[in-house]
Amino acid sequence: MRGKTAIKISAGLAATALLVTACGGGGDDEAGASNAVVSIEVAEPQYLLPSNTNETSGSQVLAALFTPLVDYDADNKPVEVAAESINTTDNVTWTIKLKDGYTFHNGEKVTADSYINAWNYGSYGPNGQNNSYFWEKIEGWADMQSEDPDGEEGPQKAPEPKAKTLTGLAKVDDLTFTVKLSAAFSEFKTMLGYTAFYPLPAAAFASEGVVKEDFQEAIIGNGPFKMKGTWQHDSQIEVEQYAEYPGEKPKVQGVIFKIYQALPAAYADLAADNLDVLKQIPTENISSAEADLGDRFKKSAASTFQFVAFPTYQQEFSKPEVRRAISQAINRDEIITSVFKGSQTAARSFVSPVVAGYREDTCGQYCVFDAAKAKSEYDAAGGPKQITITYNGDGGHKDWVDATCNQLKTNLGIECTGVAEPKFADLLTKLDDKQPIGMFRMGWVMDYPSMENYLGPIYTTDGSSNYYGYSNKQFDALYKEGVSAATPEEAIAKYQAAEDLLVQDMPVIPLRFGQNNFGHSTKVKNVEMDLFNRVNLIKIEAA
């Protein structure tokens, strides 16, 4: 979903003086004591309402406050957590039975209505929720949308949608409800681990279908931790163990999510044991991290996919020949070595290696560095003599964008300039308005483990994060055939056929697959990060 693509890292000086000193196992806490409180670095979340939260910092906080219907095993297969069972016989109608015993942090019982009300709110177009797209497959979603006839800037207003609730949701009893999709989708169960599908308590609503304006400031979830106080914007969010939680108990009493505007400041705090977990070691500290942190510098797999995209609606980038030549002019391995110090891997496919169906080097010759061939084909295709690569300045992208531009200058004989937009939101706004910003960087962290979660949002004509205007009817048809396939195996075959079309069209240039490069203080142990760039809050404990 839009915005989810950003690995949100803010710029500027962190207000560290205002932050509470990390106390993971520190202070008077005994080693391994359940009253330990640990601190974890995040950026300022955009939102904390599940239906609106689609970036990694907000997702990390919500992982403490909510328990999903399903999580994923080592093979990325969905396993029930808050759900007792999720069954279907036709991939169209799904029956979800909830485990008994879950309550929200205000004592309300979690019921089928908790999910139905939350999903209806998220789906209703006028509510403008970032994650509305994720309910698109449920019957009745289309009738909950409407389109402004003359756009946001025009005087007319969008008409009221035909419906306010999803016809595909039906309550069976307090702990059971059914979901009818508008078309078969064999991977629907896999989707249900995503943030958007969390429930909401009745206390969230000011009236039917209307969430209280300030609900997210002290949000009430069904997870292992509850909010302690309110969201301290640009400073911290503190949570503490929820005593009535029926699932696996955390090994710490609480977590302070410390909000930083610059990763180097967070790294300094980590090195001084004033921060317990830094989820992303800054690029400039990667080389020294092992010496600085020893075995507290960790690496693990992640689902991050970094790429440069073309505004295919601009004439100078409309030819696939031009796009493919630029790809061949980039030496991915050199940039990974010189800028990322080997902490990422070259991407030569259009989906992450962590999902089933991934194939190595699907990009083939067009992702092989060949300067001579690139220049010959670029000149023959009449590629532009001057290009720009626009990036968000709050994400630490300057060094690799400059390195990429230098390669293009040398290998294609053109002028190339990196242009920074202050924030990722600024970049997205210009893309929404189709302003001529040239080529631009993008990234994707999966919402759930499936090829579909890469191909659908990023590459389909109506994809929620297709900012480049790419449209291929054959690709869209293969994608839809994959979505409605009877089995995941049949779906993957269709998805792979669709991916093959991307090789010829090259709407984006695959650059790198990321990994979690993280570190922790001397005060904590058993620190793990998942494929979604989140710290495992159940396993972390005081050292």
Side-chain angles (χ1 to χ4, degrees):
M1 191 61 193
R2 292 188 178 190
K4 177 71 175 71
T5 56
I7 299 175
K8 187 176 179 183
I9 302 170
S10 299
L13 184 64
T16 51
L18 300 176
L19 300 178
V20 176
T21 300
C23 50
D28 297 329
D29 295 335
E30 297 176 359
S34 62
N35 62 345
V37 176
V38 300
S39 57
I40 297 174
E41 165 270 333
V42 296
E44 170 78 355
Q46 187 178 20
Y47 302 103
L48 286 181
L49 194 64
S51 56
N52 219 12
T53 300
N54 61 0
E55 44 77 32
T56 52
S57 291
S59 175
Q60 173 69 81
V61 175
L62 292 185
L65 299 170
F66 287 86
T67 292
L69 288 167
V70 301
D71 203 346
Y72 308 100
D73 64 16
D75 296 321
N76 282 332
K77 302 294 185 185
V79 292
E80 286 82 354
V81 184
E84 179 71 36
S85 62
I86 301 173
N87 296 311
T88 184
T89 58
D90 58 5
N91 291 332
V92 175
T93 300
W94 297 73
T95 300
I96 300 175
K97 185 172 180 56
L98 306 174
K99 285 179 180 171
D100 199 2
Y102 275 87
T103 57
F104 290 102
H105 303 147
N106 63 347
E108 280 185 41
K109 187 174 181 177
V110 179
T111 68
D113 286 328
S114 309
Y115 291 89
I116 291 172
N117 293 336
W119 298 6
N120 278 331
Y121 175 82
S123 299
Y124 188 56
N127 290 334
Q129 298 299 285
N130 283 328
N131 290 331
S132 177
Y133 158 86
F134 288 93
W135 295 284
E136 183 182 28
K137 293 180 172 63
I138 299 177
E139 186 181 81
W141 183 87
D143 286 341
M144 298 174 71
Q145 316 306 313
S146 65
E147 187 171 348
D148 192 331
D150 55 0
E152 293 182 359
E153 302 300 325
Q156 299 185 57
K157 294 183 178 179
E160 188 171 330
K162 295 178 184 176
K164 291 188 175 181
T165 58
L166 292 161
T167 55
L169 299 181
K171 179 179 178 180
V172 177
D173 57 41
D174 276 354
L175 293 178
T176 311
F177 65 106
T178 58
V179 184
K180 185 178 182 182
L181 307 181
S182 53
F185 181 41
S186 63
E187 297 180 283
F188 179 67
K189 181 177 177 179
T190 300
M191 291 183 72
L192 297 177
Y194 182 52
T195 305
F197 295 96
Y198 293 156
L200 287 179
F205 295 90
S207 60
E208 185 175 353
V210 180
V211 169
K212 294 176 181 174
E213 190 172 342
D214 61 348
F215 176 68
Q216 68 173 359
E217 301 300 316
I219 193 163
I220 299 168
N222 67 331
F225 294 93
K226 62 180 181 180
M227 287 282 285
K228 185 175 182 180
T230 60
W231 179 357
Q232 304 300 301
H233 290 272
D234 295 315
S235 177
Q236 68 176 42
I237 300 167
E238 185 168 3
V239 301
E240 60 184 349
Q241 263 205 44
Y242 176 49
E244 306 304 319
Y245 183 67
E248 183 179 356
K249 299 287 187 183
K251 296 177 177 61
V252 296
Q253 174 58 31
V255 180
I256 299 173
F257 296 102
K258 300 175 73 169
I259 298 170
Y260 287 85
Q261 284 76 46
L263 287 180
Y267 187 80
D269 275 358
L270 177 72
D273 262 359
N274 291 325
L275 173 71
D276 289 325
V277 183
L278 176 57
K279 300 198 305 172
Q280 182 65 48
I281 300 293
T283 301
E284 54 265 47
N285 298 110
I286 284 289
S287 297
S288 64
E290 190 164 350
D292 294 341
L293 304 175
D295 61 3
R296 293 181 288 111
F297 172 45
K298 306 283 178 116
K299 301 175 182 178
S300 69
S303 60
T304 312
F305 172 45
Q306 298 282 0
F307 55 94
V308 166
F310 296 97
T312 60
Y313 45 83
Q314 289 184 214
Q315 185 176 3
E316 61 265 42
F317 296 113
S318 61
K319 292 182 179 179
E321 294 85 352
V322 170
R323 305 194 291 256
R324 296 195 299 251
I326 293 174
S327 176
Q328 293 176 98
I330 297 173
N331 188 335
R332 295 162 176 76
D333 297 315
E334 181 180 281
I335 292 175
I336 287 171
T337 300
S338 62
V339 177
F340 295 97
K341 314 303 180 188
S343 62
Q344 302 192 14
T345 58
R348 295 185 173 87
S349 299
F350 295 85
V351 301
S352 168
V354 304
V355 296
Y358 163 80
R359 296 167 295 165
E360 193 173 2
D361 293 341
T362 54
C363 185
Q365 61 175 317
Y366 299 127
C367 288
V368 175
F369 173 58
D370 188 331
K373 186 178 179 184
K375 180 167 176 48
S376 173
E377 295 186 358
Y378 191 80
D379 290 344
K385 299 299 182 185
Q386 295 183 339
I387 62 175
T388 58
I389 301 178
T390 301
Y391 61 96
N392 50 305
D394 59 352
H397 300 293
K398 184 179 188 303
D399 290 347
W400 72 261
V401 169
D402 286 347
T404 303
C405 263
N406 288 335
Q407 289 187 351
L408 296 181
K409 289 178 186 176
T410 300
N411 300 329
L412 297 179
I414 62 173
E415 289 298 317
C416 178
T417 306
V419 178
E421 290 292 332
K423 299 178 182 178
F424 188 62
D426 300 328
L427 173 59
L428 296 183
T429 297
K430 289 192 172 182
L431 291 171
D432 279 334
D433 295 340
K434 288 189 166 45
Q435 294 186 30
I437 63 171
M439 296 164 60
F440 52 93
R441 64 78 39 184
M442 277 284 148
W444 186 258
V445 178
M446 69 180 184
D447 306 305
Y448 48 89
S450 169
M451 280 187 78
E452 184 270 342
N453 187 233
Y454 287 84
L455 300 183
I458 304 179
Y459 306 117
T460 58
T461 299
D462 296 325
S464 59
S465 292
N466 178 359
Y467 292 99
Y468 8 98
Y470 173 63
S471 180
N472 182 322
K473 291 182 179 177
Q474 188 179 0
F475 178 92
D476 292 346
L478 286 166
Y479 166 77
K480 289 181 180 178
E481 289 172 16
V483 168
S484 59
T487 67
E489 291 75 19
E490 292 176 22
I492 285 173
K494 296 294 184 182
Y495 295 150
Q496 290 178 339
E499 184 186 6
D500 290 342
L501 298 177
L502 298 176
V503 179
Q504 295 302 317
D505 294 342
M506 195 68 77
V508 309
I509 297 177
L511 292 179
R512 300 179 304 279
F513 294 126
Q515 65 180 8
N516 297 315
N517 299 297
F518 61 103
H520 64 81
S521 73
T522 62
K523 301 176 181 178
V524 295
K525 61 182 181 181
N526 293 336
V527 182
E528 297 181 5
M529 287 190 65
D530 64 16
L531 297 173
F532 306 91
N533 301 109
R534 298 178 305 201
V535 177
N536 187 321
L537 301 174
I538 299 298
K539 290 189 175 181
I540 189 172
E541 60 183 306

